Structure formats: C-alpha cells, structure tokens
Amino acid sequence: MEHQAFMQLALAEARANVLEGGRPFGAVLVRDGQVIARAANGIHLDHDPTAHAELLAMRAAGRALGSPRLDGCVIYASGQPCPMCLAAMHLSGVAAVYYAYANADGEPYGLSTAAVYAQMALPLAQQRLPVQRLTPEGEEELYRAWQERRP
C-alpha cells in the first residue's frame, strides 16, 4: 500500500468513530508496508482522557509486536497529533508521522491542540499548569535500585 491508502484507512477509522458518537480521529500504524494496528479515538467509550487514536494504535502495536519499541513504524493519523501523542511517538521510536488535518483545520470546531503546544513550549515556571519538583528528604535510591535490578 502507498501513503495515500494508509491515510484513507486512518480517515475511515475517524469517520466510523463519528458515526458511533466519537471524535473524528483515527490512526493506523504501519511497519514494512503492513498494517500492525488501527484505532479510533475512544474517549467517549470509557472517559479515558488518554484514549487518543494514535495512543490506542501504539498500545495495540506494542502488544502485537511484543515490545514497547516501535522503531521503523509509521503512523497515519486523521488529525495533527497532540503533544501527548507526539511525545509517545518520540519515546517509542516511531520513524515518521503523517496527518490529514492540521490544528488550523480543527480550530473552528474546537479540535485544535495548538494552545497546548504553545503552553508546552514555555519554560515550566511559565506554564499555566504548576509543575514543581518535590523530592522527600532521604529519597535517593529509586533510580539506583532500578539500575541494579535490570538484566
């Protein structure tokens, strides 16, 4: 399959989700020209704020591949990935991302994450969400304990 065909699959997931009462987001994860996983936004199903189509497809792909690493995988998404999804793609080794609709396209419908991108570009101290380090006194062994238990 070609890029256009994979994107059509992602858009089909999004359209089907709209008909089921969900948001217009779908994703397809591909490796070596094969669809590994596909998903639609599931926030409306179980009220999980992280149930974005891209994350659900990545979770399914991790299970299918038996690894949290998605090196060499490509994601096709109906909408521009939000910062959460994009961060997960970076952390898991996704090789490339293609999307059909940009934040600007979704803005008139309340479907843009541009404001979140803007907040996250600010230094932590300037963001609206307070993020502060709080390490209890005497707490210093957690990472060392993890390192010592690794095979």
Side-chain angles (χ1 to χ4, degrees):
M1 292 179 96
E2 305 260 343
H3 291 304
Q4 292 288 329
F6 290 129
M7 184 58 74
Q8 288 296 337
L9 292 176
L11 289 165
E13 289 286 330
R15 282 189 171 81
N17 203 43
V18 168
L19 294 176
E20 295 173 8
R23 295 179 183 195
F25 299 111
V28 173
L29 190 140
V30 175
R31 185 166 78 176
D32 299 328
Q34 298 295 315
V35 174
I36 305 297
R38 49 197 303 172
N41 184 290
I43 292 174
H44 66 293
L45 299 174
D46 57 10
H47 310 290
D48 176 354
T50 69
H52 291 198
E54 299 94 331
L55 289 183
L56 295 176
M58 292 172 66
R59 291 171 188 160
R63 287 189 299 274
L65 298 171
S67 172
R69 297 295 310 162
L70 300 176
D71 300 297
C73 292
V74 177
I75 292 182
Y76 297 85
S78 61
Q80 183 174 344
C82 74
M84 174 181 65
C85 293
L86 189 59
M89 292 173 200
H90 280 286
L91 289 169
S92 66
V94 167
V97 183
Y98 297 91
Y99 62 91
Y101 290 91
N103 274 324
D105 300 317
E107 183 68 36
Y109 308 97
L111 297 172
S112 174
T113 57
V116 179
Y117 271 104
Q119 274 295 300
M120 293 187 77
L122 297 172
L124 285 178
Q126 294 176 18
Q127 293 181 20
R128 279 184 302 210
L129 176 66
V131 178
Q132 300 175 355
R133 183 175 181 167
L134 176 62
T135 308
E137 189 175 325
E139 178 59 48
E140 55 196 41
E141 300 298 321
L142 179 62
Y143 289 176
R144 185 181 352 256
W146 173 79
Q147 180 66 40
E148 291 170 358
R149 294 181 86 57
R150 289 184 61 201

